[in-house]
Amino acid sequence: MRIDRKTALLIIDVQNDFCEGGALAVPDGSAIVPVINGLMPHFETIILTQDWHPADHRSFAANHSDASTDDVSTMPYGPQVLWPTHCVAGSTGALFHEDLLTDLAQIVIRKGFRATVDSYSAFFENDRTTATGLAGYLTERGIRDVVCVGLATDFCVAYSALDARKLGFRTHVVEDACRAIDIDGSLGSTMADMERSGIVTCQSSDLLSSGGRRPLA
């Protein structure tokens, strides 16, 4: 793979609530912002995703009686981790990190805006059938390769990368441009899933070598 006009950078959920001080902070989350900013000028196609929940979202522990954060609830589409209230539409927590160079992106995919279904992946909601439209956008632009960065490695990044691979895109995850939550070993299991699916993990330095045109795989 070479980074060229058929390669897209997918920047996942780099929002205030997932960074230090946020409602669902990923440890060291804001540290990825300068890494991502350094990658962005090397891509012609850049997509941002943004969690955008209503306040009554069913993935919030506060909206379930006798439930706590990190409990697992059974939804019509299967098991669902219950989270702290986060990234409520229009709130400060839902905004992108202030240092992220959002003006370089061409499109924002908002996800999780339906109260009854969560959405980790940039491609599908958690019912695994409702599409966000991102696959069509990438296909129309002739994209063959997707490079994933953002928060958190073991949830929204992994789900997005796995779906990208299933949809036929060659997929890379830039490890130093991601951070994980790691609930009960979730990081190890998702990394193993990605490796089995053929997703390539790399460092940002690999992408930046030779002006961002170095073959990766």
Side-chain angles (χ1 to χ4, degrees), residues 58 60-73 82-83:
R58 297 300 292 168
F60 295 165
N63 293 325
H64 295 260
S65 59
D66 302 320
S68 301
T69 298
D70 295 341
D71 285 352
V72 177
S73 177
L82 298 183
W83 304 107

Side-chain angles (χ1 to χ4, degrees), residues 121-162:
S121 172
F123 293 92
F124 294 99
E125 295 187 351
N126 284 8
D127 61 7
R128 312 306 299 146
T129 58
T130 303
T132 66
L134 177 57
Y137 176 80
L138 295 176
T139 300
E140 286 291 326
R141 292 181 68 88
I143 298 299
R144 292 194 302 249
D145 300 275
V146 174
V147 175
C148 298
V149 300
L151 302 169
T153 314
D154 42 342
F155 282 91
C156 295
V157 173
Y159 274 67
S160 299
L162 288 164

Side-chain angles (χ1 to χ4, degrees), residues 37-87:
N37 286 346
L39 291 174
M40 292 172 79
H42 298 269
F43 291 81
E44 292 186 18
T45 299
I46 300 170
I47 300 100
L48 298 169
T49 74
Q50 188 176 28
D51 260 15
W52 199 251
H53 299 306
D56 63 348
H57 202 277
R58 297 300 292 168
S59 72
F60 295 165
N63 293 325
H64 295 260
S65 59
D66 302 320
S68 301
T69 298
D70 295 341
D71 285 352
V72 177
S73 177
T74 301
M75 303 291 191
Y77 52 84
Q80 171 67 54
V81 176
L82 298 183
W83 304 107
T85 300
H86 67 280
C87 295

Side-chain angles (χ1 to χ4, degrees), residues 24-25 77 99 103-104 145 158 181 192 212:
L24 184 49
Y77 52 84
D99 294 331
D103 288 350
L104 297 181
D145 300 275
I181 300 174

Side-chain angles (χ1 to χ4, degrees), residues 152-173:
T153 314
D154 42 342
F155 282 91
C156 295
V157 173
Y159 274 67
S160 299
L162 288 164
D163 280 345
R165 191 74 188 98
K166 288 174 185 176
L167 290 165
F169 298 101
R170 293 179 296 198
T171 307
H172 286 69
V173 171

Side-chain angles (χ1 to χ4, degrees), residues 183-202:
I183 298 175
D184 298 328
S186 58
L187 178 59
S189 63
T190 54
M191 293 298 287
D193 288 342
M194 289 193 288
E195 182 178 1
R196 282 192 295 268
S197 74
I199 294 167
V200 177
T201 57
C202 63

